[in-house]
Amino acid sequence: AYGNSNWDRLIEILNDQTEEDLRAWSDTWVKEEGMPVIAFKRNGNKVKITQSDPWKKNRFWPVNFAVMVYSEKSGYDCYRVEMNTDKTITEILLTDENSYILPDWEGKGYGYFKTDFQSTEWILKNWGKGQCIPRFAMLMNLYEGVMHNDIKPESFLESMMRYMNTETDPQIFRQVLAYTGQCARLFMKRGSELRDRYEDYLFRIADSHADAAYRTLALKSFADLASSETSLERLYRIWNNPSEAARYR
C-alpha cells in the first residue's frame, strides 16, 4: 500500500462516508513503520497503562486488548482496555499487590506491551503453560522485549528452553525456533556456554522428539546455527550416513 494511488483514492472515498478520520488511520497504520509501546506502570495496587510512540513522531494507534491479572490468592481476572485517543490513560486496580499482569491475553492487540519487572519475570517462567492463544501472545511479546532491550537475551533463551521440547502447537514451535535462532545469532558468541548448550538442546529435540515433523524442524534450525565442534561433528555424521539422515525425515 506504500505510495499506492489506488489505496489513497479508496481512503478518500471511504473517508467521505464516515465520521472517522480514515486519512489519519491510513497514515499511522498502513503507510508508516513502527508500532506503539504500551507500558504498564505499577504503583502499589494501581497499574497505569499508557501508550507512546518509540519513533518520537507523536503518533497514536487506537488499540483494544484484554489484560489478564493473575495472583495465587485470587486466580485470574480479565480487564478490557480501550485506548481510543492519545489522552487515554487506563488504570487497573489490583485486589492483590502480588499480582502479575499478562497483557494482550487474547492476542488481538497491536504493539509492544512493556510489563513491570515482577510480571515479566513471572511470564518468563510460565509462558509455556495454558492455552494456545495466550501462549503465542506472551511468546511474541517476550521476543519484542528482547528487541527493545528490556529482557536479557540469555533470560529469553533459558525461558524458551524450559518449554520448547513440550510445545504441542506446530505454529508456536516454529516461531520459537525462529526467535531463539535469531536471538542466538545476534547475541550469543560462538563458543559461549549458553549457545553451545542451546545447540545441544536443539540436537536432542531433533534426535529424540516423538513427532517426525518436529524432529525435521529442529534439525534445520540446528544445522543453521551449529558452530561448536560437537555440533559440526554431529552434522557431518548425519550428512555422511544416509541411514542416519533418514531418521530425521
Side-chain angles (χ1 to χ4, degrees):
Y2 290 89
N4 188 325
S5 60
N6 291 332
W7 173 262
D8 292 339
R9 178 58 181 151
L10 174 62
I11 293 298
E12 291 293 333
I13 294 171
L14 294 176
N15 196 66
D16 292 337
Q17 308 301 317
T18 178
E19 295 180 358
E20 303 294 334
D21 187 351
L22 292 185
R23 296 186 189 92
W25 171 84
S26 177
D27 289 343
T28 300
W29 285 88
V30 180
K31 290 191 173 184
E32 296 188 33
E33 62 184 339
M35 61 182 177
V37 173
I38 299 169
F40 296 76
K41 298 179 181 178
R42 186 194 296 257
N43 184 11
N45 66 337
K46 292 182 180 180
V47 178
K48 183 182 290 185
I49 307 172
T50 59
Q51 181 185 141
S52 62
D53 180 358
W55 293 77
K56 309 299 182 184
K57 295 181 179 180
N58 295 318
R59 293 173 297 175
F60 176 78
W61 290 260
V63 289
N64 301 321
F65 54 91
V67 177
M68 191 68 75
V69 174
Y70 170 75
S71 76
E72 293 183 1
K73 282 185 179 179
S74 307
Y76 290 92
D77 291 308
C78 187
Y79 298 83
R80 299 284 173 182
V81 177
E82 296 185 3
M83 308 190 89
N84 296 320
T85 73
D86 58 359
K87 304 299 182 184
T88 301
I89 298 177
T90 300
E91 278 194 350
I92 292 176
L93 188 63
L94 303 176
T95 56
D96 179 3
E97 289 189 17
N98 294 318
S99 298
Y100 306 103
I101 302 159
L102 315 177
D104 196 27
W105 186 253
E106 297 172 340
K108 297 178 181 179
Y110 179 73
Y112 164 47
F113 297 85
K114 183 176 181 178
T115 52
D116 61 287
F117 177 80
Q118 179 177 321
S119 298
T120 299
E121 288 296 299
W122 189 91
I123 294 170
L124 281 167
K125 292 177 182 177
N126 296 281
W127 75 270
K129 303 174 183 177
Q131 297 177 343
C132 181
I133 291 176
R135 215 161 63 235
F136 208 162
M138 286 190 283
L139 166 64
M140 291 189 293
N141 204 59
L142 286 174
Y143 183 71
E144 287 297 330
V146 176
M147 295 296 104
H148 282 79
N149 297 316
D150 289 326
I151 296 175
K152 292 181 179 179
E154 297 82 0
S155 298
F156 176 79
L157 200 56
E158 293 279 9
S159 174
M160 297 301 104
M161 290 167 62
R162 188 175 291 117
Y163 292 108
M164 192 187 308
N165 194 38
T166 57
E167 178 54 58
T168 57
D169 184 274
Q171 187 176 358
I172 296 179
F173 185 75
R174 289 190 187 93
Q175 198 62 58
V176 172
L177 289 174
Y179 286 159
T180 51
Q182 184 76 341
C183 184
R185 279 187 289 271
L186 289 176
F187 303 110
M188 310 292 163
K189 291 182 179 180
R190 294 185 178 187
S192 67
E193 185 274 336
L194 183 54
R195 175 155 175 169
D196 286 354
R197 185 154 51 88
Y198 178 60
E199 290 180 16
D200 180 68
Y201 181 80
L202 274 180
F203 178 77
R204 285 188 282 113
I205 294 177
D207 190 59
S208 61
H209 200 285
D211 191 315
Y214 281 54
R215 292 199 301 272
T216 299
L217 290 169
L219 181 63
K220 288 179 179 178
S221 293
F222 172 73
D224 288 341
L225 196 62
S227 61
S228 72
E229 183 176 344
T230 299
S231 295
L232 294 174
E233 287 175 354
R234 285 167 166 169
L235 275 181
Y236 178 76
R237 186 172 67 245
I238 295 169
W239 173 80
N240 196 45
N241 188 337
S243 61
E244 182 82 3
R247 296 180 56 242
Y248 303 96
R249 294 173 188 162

